[in-house]
């Protein structure tokens, strides 16, 4: 066809549009149903622009639904935590609302152990020198880190996030109290403290967990040099070695901005280590108030031994992004392994033929560290006149007094 016989472009476009409308009208009248809607066509001069069918545009995939519901639920929990914090600031007692079994099961189904291992590897990636100050400054601003207390204040010194999290402090930044028998082993927030009653320990006010589930079966009396308790006694009574003594507890939550090392809270002797593999759920105060026996679900390392008044234990509880719990004198400890048996634990004794006294620890001595922040639980025996010098919810720093006789 010669060029002169062709229709002008605007007439050709108009004719094509009319044909499309006539064809669509005939299909509707004759009752023809399309299995898939045709893609719409728009004309711009002589160029055709095609759009995908509406069904394809708005097709929802399972991954999108999972992200949307998970993000929405996380946002809802954060909003609930914010409301509780506001009530606490006003001095209003916060009602206890425990999670149901399906909510706990849903939370535990999240691969927090895998995510924590991935986070740990990411933390060990060396940052370029020019990127270190912006990244660490953002973290400092977000979590309120006081770098003036750090042994090295220069942010360029820390090669990766892991080194920055585990930064050391200046010696004078945390003086150790010598007047009181038990000091805080770390920086953090006091979640709860007091006497252990009826074999139950409070993780926060009104929410308890089983003492035996948390510590596990009692260790042999020969290993800990304890007197043999009558078999009919409760688990709590078996831990108390001296007549007239009571069992006490204290829970300290380490926030992401806190100093991540922990120290010996008193002069004592570590005889045994028990490692419980488990979940790595968050242990922030909002979640601790929501999930009963949260500390029994999570991975933890229980150090037990004795001090001058009898039984003494310190437990480092893992949490999300805190799969790494390190005890300096225990090179055989490996936390957050890819595989473990549910409900299992492994024991290690520091009592041997060559070392009958275990590991002696002095008050304030370096004991271990977390890779971010988590929780320390102290459970110990003391006379009835032992007094805590604390208030629930208060901030505390390593070296400050917890209590004394």
């Amino acid at each position: 066809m010669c060029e002169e016989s062709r229709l002008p472009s605007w007439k050709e476009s108009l004719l094509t549009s009319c044909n499309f409308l006539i064809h669509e009208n005939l299909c509707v009248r004759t009752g023809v149903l399309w299995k898939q809607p045709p893609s719409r066509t728009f004309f711009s001069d002589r160029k055709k622009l095609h759009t995908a069918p509406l069904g394809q545009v708005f097709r929802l995939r399972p991954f999108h639904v999972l992200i949307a519901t998970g993000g929405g639920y996380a946002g809802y929990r954060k909003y609930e935590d914010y409301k509780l914090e506001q009530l606490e600031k006003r001095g209003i007692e916060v009602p206890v609302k425990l999670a149901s079994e399906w909510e706990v099961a849903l939370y535990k189904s999240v691969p927090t152990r895998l995510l924590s291992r991935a986070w740990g590897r990411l933390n060990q990636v060396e940052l370029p020198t020019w990127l270190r100050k912006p990244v660490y400054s953002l973290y400092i601003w977000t979590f309120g880190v006081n770098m003036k207390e750090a042994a090295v204040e220069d942010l360029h010194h820390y090669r990766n996030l892991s080194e920055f999290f585990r930064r050391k402090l200046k010696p004078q930044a945390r003086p150790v109290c010598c007047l009181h028998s038990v000091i805080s082993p770390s920086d953090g927030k006091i979640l709860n403290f007091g006497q252990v009653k009826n074999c139950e320990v409070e993780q926060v006010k009104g929410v308890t967990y089983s003492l035996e589930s948390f510590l596990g079966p009692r260790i042999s009396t020969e290993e800990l040099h304890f007197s043999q308790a009558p078999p009919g006694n409760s688990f709590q009574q078996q831990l108390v070695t001296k007549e007239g003594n009571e069992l006490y507890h204290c829970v300290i939550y380490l926030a992401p901005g806190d100093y991540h090392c922990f120290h010996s809270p008193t002069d004592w002797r570590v005889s045994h280590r028990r490692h419980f593999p488990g979940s790595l759920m968050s242990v922030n105060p909002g979640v601790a108030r929501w999930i009963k026996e949260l500390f029994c679900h999570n991975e933890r390392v229980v150090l037990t031994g004795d001090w001058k008044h009898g039984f003494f234990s310190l437990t480092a509880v893992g949490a999300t992004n805190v799969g790494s719990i390190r005890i300096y004198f225990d090179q055989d400890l490996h936390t957050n392994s890819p595989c473990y048996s549910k409900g299992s634990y492994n024991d290690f004794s520091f009592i041997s033929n060559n070392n009958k006294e275990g590991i002696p620890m002095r008050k304030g001595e370096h004991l271990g560290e977390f890779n971010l922040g988590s929780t320390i639980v102290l459970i110990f025996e003391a006379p009835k006149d032992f007094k805590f010098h604390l208030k629930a919810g208060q901030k505390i720093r390593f070296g400050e007094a917890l209590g004394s006789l």
Side-chain angles (χ1 to χ4, degrees):
M1 180 183 295
C2 63
E3 193 170 332
E4 286 77 16
S5 63
R6 294 177 59 182
L7 292 172
S9 60
W10 66 274
K11 289 183 179 181
E12 185 178 355
S13 298
L14 179 61
L15 181 61
T16 307
S17 300
C18 290
N19 288 336
F20 173 76
L21 292 173
I22 292 170
H23 175 68
E24 185 178 28
N25 189 35
L26 286 173
C27 289
V28 172
R29 290 191 180 189
T30 55
V32 177
L33 297 177
W34 290 324
K35 292 184 179 179
Q36 288 186 346
S39 53
R40 297 185 179 182
T41 307
F42 300 92
F43 298 92
S44 176
D45 196 11
R46 295 185 62 85
K47 296 180 180 179
K48 296 182 180 181
L49 303 178
H50 298 272
T51 61
L54 294 177
Q56 294 180 8
V57 173
F58 297 103
R59 183 180 299 170
L60 292 177
R61 301 182 184 277
F63 178 74
H64 299 153
V65 175
L66 180 63
I67 292 297
T69 54
Y73 187 74
Y76 167 75
R77 291 304 315 166
K78 286 292 184 183
Y79 175 67
E80 289 295 315
D81 292 344
Y82 172 76
K83 290 197 301 183
L84 292 175
E85 289 178 2
Q86 295 303 310
L87 290 175
E88 287 180 344
K89 288 180 179 178
R90 297 175 185 175
I92 302 174
E93 187 172 349
V94 179
V96 176
K97 184 180 179 182
L98 295 177
S100 61
E101 290 185 7
W102 72 265
E103 287 178 307
V104 176
L106 179 63
Y107 192 178
K108 293 179 73 172
S109 68
V110 177
T112 51
R113 294 177 64 85
L114 178 62
L115 294 173
S116 296
R117 285 195 297 274
W119 177 254
R121 292 182 180 179
L122 179 63
N123 287 351
Q124 293 172 4
V125 175
E126 185 170 345
L127 296 176
T129 306
W130 61 269
L131 188 59
R132 294 175 188 176
K133 189 171 183 178
V135 170
Y136 301 148
S137 295
L138 177 62
Y139 187 91
I140 290 168
W141 177 79
T142 303
F143 296 107
V145 179
N146 184 4
M147 284 303 294
K148 292 183 178 179
E149 297 176 337
V152 180
E153 297 184 36
D154 182 13
L155 298 180
H156 296 99
H157 169 80
Y158 303 99
R159 295 173 297 176
N160 51 47
L161 283 167
S162 182
E163 285 189 1
F164 179 72
F165 292 148
R166 296 180 288 108
R167 64 193 176 275
K168 305 301 181 184
L169 299 181
K170 296 172 181 175
Q172 65 274 18
R174 296 289 185 274
V176 175
C177 178
C178 299
L179 301 177
H180 298 275
S181 53
V182 183
I183 63 170
S184 176
S186 66
D187 289 7
K189 179 180 180 180
I190 301 295
L191 294 189
N192 215 315
F193 63 92
Q195 282 190 20
V196 177
K197 297 179 180 178
N198 302 319
C199 294
E200 293 281 326
V201 185
E202 281 192 321
Q203 58 191 29
V204 294
K205 187 176 181 180
V207 181
T208 63
Y209 57 92
S210 165
L211 178 65
E212 186 169 5
S213 297
F214 181 70
L215 296 178
R218 190 171 182 235
I219 304 158
S220 65
T221 54
E222 292 80 7
E223 184 175 334
L224 294 180
H225 303 283
F226 289 165
S227 59
Q228 182 66 46
N233 286 6
S234 68
F235 182 81
Q236 177 179 338
Q237 291 171 330
Q238 291 178 26
L239 294 180
V240 178
T241 64
K242 298 179 181 180
E243 187 177 353
N245 281 2
E246 298 288 347
L247 209 60
Y248 297 87
H249 73 98
C250 183
V251 183
I252 305 171
Y253 167 68
L254 287 74
D258 288 328
Y259 167 58
H260 301 310
C261 296
F262 51 93
H263 302 246
S264 176
T266 192
D267 296 334
W268 65 306
R269 179 181 52 169
V270 183
S271 303
H272 187 272
R273 178 259 291 162
R274 177 169 285 161
H275 172 216
F276 291 86
S279 301
L280 288 173
M281 296 184 282
S282 172
V283 292
N284 73 56
V287 178
R289 189 182 291 109
W290 181 53
I291 297 180
K292 182 179 175 64
E293 297 201 333
L294 171 64
F295 299 154
C296 297
H297 290 297
N298 272 17
E299 180 154 2
R300 59 197 182 277
V301 177
V302 182
L303 300 178
T304 53
D306 60 291
W307 69 320
K308 61 183 178 180
H309 299 295
F311 174 80
F312 199 96
S313 73
L314 180 148
T315 302
V317 183
T320 308
N321 297 334
V322 196
S324 175
I325 302 173
R326 183 182 173 193
I327 305 298
Y328 294 139
F329 57 76
D330 189 356
Q331 302 302 316
D332 295 321
L333 175 65
H334 300 285
T335 57
N336 195 13
S337 301
C339 299
Y340 72 97
S341 299
K342 186 178 180 180
S344 66
Y345 61 86
N346 58 78
D347 289 335
F348 184 86
S349 175
F350 298 109
I351 302 292
S352 65
N353 293 329
N354 298 327
N355 180 21
K356 296 183 180 296
E357 297 300 319
I359 308 295
M361 298 296 301
R362 304 294 297 174
K363 183 166 61 174
E365 186 178 351
H366 277 83
L367 183 56
E369 63 187 37
F370 291 111
N371 188 15
L372 195 58
S374 192
T375 297
I376 295 287
V377 180
L378 301 179
I379 298 175
F380 57 93
E381 175 185 358
K384 290 183 178 180
D385 56 351
F386 181 87
K387 300 294 182 182
F388 283 102
H389 305 288
L390 303 171
K391 292 189 297 183
Q394 80 172 71
K395 291 288 292 182
I396 198 165
R397 303 199 303 176
F398 155 61
E400 295 179 346
L402 287 184
S404 62
L405 296 169

